[in-house]
Amino acid sequence: MKLLQERAKGRPAGDSLIIRTSVRLLVPFIQLYGLYVIVHGHYSPGGGFQGGVVLGASFILLALAYDLKTSLRYMSEGANVLLGNAGVLIFIGIAVLCALLGGLFLDYAALARLIPMAAEEWRSFGIFLVELGVGLTVMSSMVSLFWDLASGGDMEEGL
Amino acid sequence: MLWIAGSLVVAGMFFFAVGVIGLLRFPDFYTRLHAAGKCDSLAAVLVILGVALYNLADFSLASLLVSLKILAIAVFVFVASPTATHAIAEAALVIGVEPWSKKDQEQ
């Protein structure tokens, strides 16, 4: 017991081979599942918010199992901000594009003037495009909230 | 097929019940974690396998796809659940939770 305790205290917190291996194994599948939830959002349970949370959680898991620097290597701060803003732009851009093309704000059927498809199909597909933006924004906010709260804003060392 | 699926689910329920009894009756943190971690991983996988087989009862490509997705859940539970148990046990060890011993019994 004492020996085990000394050995566990000797290494930095969370530095465990078992946890790291299984996180390394699971993270790609978690991200794939997040994309699946976003893509299936408009005709099954799920959607942009839920998929974005799953995507963001995969990066938070990396930061918890390794450290903040490792998760910054997979998703840099600049790329994170860029993706979040791109998500908002996708949402607003599609909504305003609908209005400019003669429909209402977020009236996807108006997009049929750009790419001819049935109005019903556009209403279904437009939700997917908007959800993509929502997912990117939610992922970016989750990851950046965790980074800032865990490191006190300096991105040096976290939990 | 339905009978196999049903018996798998019932076996899973049995292991869940054993895990709950262990969780209630064992004396300290480590032994309780031992009961909860092992029984829950096995029971969850058995129940999920039962559900996947039940879903295959009317065989078609769509139900095969759904069953494969359910099987993927089983694989991830089998990886994630022991890892979580390990992380909890190690955290308890580091902050110094004392295991149960014979002298605790006498008090």
Side-chain angles (χ1 to χ4, degrees):
Chain A
M1 177 70 193
K2 277 278 173 290
L3 185 74
L4 273 175
Q5 206 165 3
E6 289 307 313
R7 203 179 291 166
K9 272 185 182 160
R11 52 176 194 250
D15 184 10
S16 157
L17 182 68
I18 297 175
I19 296 175
R20 290 193 168 186
T21 309
S22 62
V23 164
R24 207 173 58 215
L25 208 72
L26 284 182
V27 159
F29 292 103
I30 295 174
Q31 288 173 344
L32 189 67
Y33 181 66
L35 290 176
Y36 170 84
V37 170
I38 292 179
V39 169
H40 271 243
H42 52 299
Y43 52 84
S44 73
F49 188 87
Q50 290 86 339
V53 168
V54 173
L55 273 179
S58 73
F59 289 105
I60 293 176
L61 194 64
L62 265 179
L64 282 174
Y66 291 78
D67 49 11
L68 210 87
K69 287 269 186 270
T70 312
S71 70
L72 275 169
R73 212 167 61 231
Y74 286 101
M75 166 70 91
S76 76
E77 227 183 326
N80 193 36
V81 172
L82 205 70
L83 279 178
N85 288 321
V88 177
L89 267 182
I90 288 173
F91 191 103
I92 297 293
I94 286 174
V96 170
L97 193 64
C98 296
L100 288 180
L101 285 171
L104 298 168
F105 193 71
L106 280 174
D107 179 10
Y108 309 122
L111 289 171
R113 281 179 208 168
L114 277 186
I115 303 169
M117 262 197 312
E120 294 83 8
E121 279 178 47
W122 256 120
R123 284 193 189 111
S124 166
F125 189 58
I127 294 175
F128 163 64
L129 293 178
V130 164
E131 294 281 288
L132 202 66
V134 174
L136 283 178
T137 309
V138 169
M139 179 200 73
S140 155
S141 326
M142 289 267 302
V143 174
S144 120
L145 266 178
F146 176 81
W147 279 343
D148 285 333
L149 287 178
S151 67
D154 57 4
M155 301 290 167
E156 281 305 316
E157 52 180 316
L159 295 170
Chain B
M1 188 78 103
L2 283 183
W3 277 102
I4 301 173
S7 50
L8 275 174
V9 171
V10 169
M13 289 298 150
F14 169 74
F15 281 109
F16 266 130
V18 170
V20 169
I21 293 171
L23 200 62
L24 290 173
R25 296 284 299 164
F26 272 143
D28 76 334
F29 178 78
Y30 296 106
T31 46
R32 281 179 190 156
L33 193 66
H34 166 80
K38 281 187 179 52
C39 294
D40 277 9
S41 340
L42 181 60
V45 169
L46 281 177
V47 170
I48 288 168
L49 281 180
V51 170
L53 270 183
Y54 179 80
N55 187 58
L56 272 182
D58 48 342
F59 190 83
S60 69
L61 200 63
S63 73
L64 185 69
L65 198 62
V66 172
S67 284
L68 281 179
K69 284 176 194 167
I70 298 174
L71 279 184
I73 298 176
V75 172
F76 293 131
V77 166
F78 227 76
V79 175
S81 171
T83 309
T85 312
H86 164 77
I88 295 170
E90 198 187 55
L93 184 72
V94 167
I95 63 166
V97 177
E98 285 293 321
W100 180 84
S101 63
K102 269 276 163 58
K103 65 176 190 295
D104 292 324
Q105 198 179 22
E106 286 156 12
Q107 285 169 3

